[in-house]
Amino acid sequence: THTHTHTTQHNTQSDFSLFHLANELRSWLFYWSIPVLRGVLPTEYFVHYCLLVVGCRILCGTTVPSIKISQAKQLLLKFYKRYELLYGIMSVTMKVHLLQHLADSVEKCGPLWAYSTFWFESLNGMLRKFVHGTRFVSSQVASAVATIKAIPTVLPSIQDQIYEPNITALADKFGLLQSNVLETQSSIGKLQISHVDDGLLEILNTLLRSEGLEEVHEARVTTVHSLHLNGHRVQSRQSCASRRNSFTVEFDALGQLSFGYVDVIIKHGSNYYALIQRLEKENWPLCVPHDDDLSDIISVYGNLQYLVGEDIIPAHESDKYIAVDVGKISGKVVCVKMDCSSCLFLARIPNVIECD
């Protein structure tokens, strides 16, 4: 049982929320806010805000075990109880009150993304791509869906060949271009011949020798510009023309989870390899400084250093490269670079359904 806190209903919106889309606010909550607000908000307010971020990230996970639901429930309940003290009774709106019931919803209905309006809006956006005229709209949608379903059965017959441009473009548009790497992996676009630096080529050959495979003897190699890996679209840095960073990934390096930039994706035989510039994790506190004066705050909120450190990791760029089989890449991460610091932050994506 817990004491009910007064709630206030009023229609006020901050300037921040008025000028940003809902998915931008979600990205701010999950990825950007903790690195940006650290050192800006007073420590007690910052640690209190971390309760909200961590609790929501847990409940938006791809899967949420019972122990994680209980953990998120405790975090959000602490956030709710302390909210009035920090921000005043007039700030305790119904939306703030509902935060303490999010964990119950997940326990009954599954992760938040399963019934989030973001997913439905994404499907509506895809349906719009199926319509190209004002007449017979339902037939256009049905024809497009039938075509998309047929593409995976057509592609195996043209694997390892130069893909027919129209099929490639259509498959790329809907993320359906399959390769023969693994069931959970798909290459996108046609194969290209690219030049690779001799130093990077030697790193790749070191990996190939360790696997007992034939080495690459020429600097001109076969590459692809992007892959679908475990629900994430990962691009190589050399082919990433947009401002969006889709080449920062988490991968397994000799049994340890590591991070880096995918510089180039190389096809060698029937396998695909990524040459990755490594990012070294920083070893300094992300949330709560080690200060005796803050012991009372830490006792109130719990050890958020450990919780936040699992999903938002400070790091820096190194000049080291490593070659890995693309099967070792677990997924894409969000890279947050701070202009005022040489340090950057790596934020894990809670689920692949809402992976913008």
Side-chain angles (χ1 to χ4, degrees):
T1 61
H2 62 273
T3 304
H4 174 69
T5 304
H6 176 78
T7 60
T8 305
Q9 285 188 319
H10 49 88
N11 296 322
T12 59
Q13 283 185 292
S14 66
D15 291 341
F16 187 80
S17 63
L18 284 173
F19 296 102
H20 292 81
L21 299 175
N23 66 321
E24 293 173 336
L25 295 175
R26 181 186 60 191
S27 295
W28 164 259
L29 176 72
F30 285 165
Y31 313 124
W32 306 97
S33 59
I34 285 182
V36 170
L37 295 178
R38 184 182 188 276
V40 176
L41 286 179
T43 302
E44 183 173 6
Y45 285 80
F46 176 74
V47 178
H48 175 258
Y49 176 74
C50 287
L51 293 170
L52 174 66
V53 175
V54 177
C56 290
R57 284 185 64 98
I58 291 173
L59 297 180
C60 287
T62 303
T63 59
V64 189
S66 297
I67 188 171
K68 286 288 187 179
I69 295 177
S70 299
Q71 187 181 55
K73 188 171 186 176
Q74 291 300 316
L75 292 171
L76 294 176
L77 189 58
K78 287 181 181 180
F79 176 85
Y80 175 68
K81 288 183 175 180
R82 197 75 170 177
Y83 192 90
E84 180 182 333
L85 178 64
L86 295 178
Y87 297 98
I89 193 170
M90 293 302 295
S91 298
V92 186
T93 63
M94 182 56 67
K95 291 181 180 179
V96 175
H97 171 79
L98 290 174
L99 287 173
Q100 62 182 326
H101 301 299
L102 283 181
D104 296 331
S105 298
V106 172
E107 196 167 22
K108 295 175 182 177
C109 306
L112 295 179
W113 58 261
Y115 37 95
S116 166
T117 57
F118 288 114
W119 179 236
F120 294 104
E121 290 176 4
S122 296
L123 289 177
N124 287 337
M126 180 173 288
L127 287 176
R128 289 182 60 184
K129 297 177 182 179
F130 298 161
V131 180
H132 303 284
T134 58
R135 301 181 62 191
F136 309 112
V137 173
S138 59
S139 298
Q140 294 180 55
V141 173
S143 176
V145 171
T147 302
I148 289 174
K149 286 187 174 182
I151 288 177
T153 62
V154 173
L155 289 176
S157 64
I158 58 173
Q159 283 182 358
D160 299 323
Q161 300 177 24
I162 300 299
Y163 298 128
E164 205 282 325
N166 292 334
I167 296 179
T168 301
L170 183 62
D172 192 2
K173 182 177 181 180
F174 297 107
L176 295 170
L177 189 56
Q178 303 293 316
S179 72
N180 55 358
V181 189
L182 286 173
E183 188 176 348
T184 57
Q185 302 168 359
S186 314
S187 62
I188 302 175
K190 63 182 181 181
L191 303 177
Q192 298 177 333
I193 302 299
S194 306
H195 181 273
V196 176
D197 180 82
D198 290 342
L200 295 180
L201 198 62
E202 178 55 31
I203 293 174
L204 174 61
N205 283 331
T206 300
L207 174 64
L208 295 176
R209 284 194 294 269
S210 68
E211 295 181 349
L213 299 174
E214 182 182 354
E215 298 182 27
V216 177
H217 300 290
E218 297 183 6
R220 294 179 62 81
V221 295
T222 304
T223 63
V224 294
H225 68 79
S226 57
L227 295 170
H228 273 296
L229 297 171
N230 305 315
H232 297 253
R233 177 169 178 171
V234 177
Q235 291 181 275
S236 65
R237 182 164 52 177
Q238 292 185 3
S239 63
C240 191
S242 66
R243 294 175 59 189
R244 178 175 293 184
N245 180 337
S246 297
F247 48 79
T248 306
V249 297
E250 182 176 10
F251 62 96
D252 183 349
L254 301 177
Q256 291 189 334
L257 288 178
S258 304
F259 302 91
Y261 300 142
V262 176
D263 196 64
V264 62
I265 302 169
I266 296 174
K267 182 181 182 186
H268 181 63
S270 60
N271 299 323
Y272 289 79
Y273 299 91
L275 290 171
I276 299 176
Q277 180 184 357
R278 302 195 69 155
L279 298 174
E280 302 295 342
K281 292 183 285 187
E282 294 276 5
N283 294 316
W284 50 271
L286 180 61
C287 290
V288 183
H290 294 299
D291 190 332
D292 292 337
D293 295 336
L294 300 176
S295 58
D296 58 329
I297 298 175
I298 297 173
S299 66
V300 171
Y301 296 115
N303 187 7
L304 278 172
Q305 168 64 38
Y306 172 74
L307 292 174
V308 178
E310 286 186 332
D311 294 316
I312 301 178
I313 302 104
H316 68 271
E317 297 179 358
S318 76
D319 56 0
K320 299 177 182 177
Y321 281 78
I322 186 173
V324 299
D325 187 295
V326 295
K328 299 289 186 180
I329 298 176
S330 55
K332 188 164 54 177
V333 298
V334 176
C335 181
V336 182
K337 287 190 175 182
M338 310 290 287
D339 291 338
C340 58
S341 171
S342 59
C343 181
L344 53 87
F345 295 86
L346 305 170
R348 289 188 172 101
I349 298 170
N351 64 77
V352 296
I353 306 299
E354 297 178 322
C355 176
D356 294 332

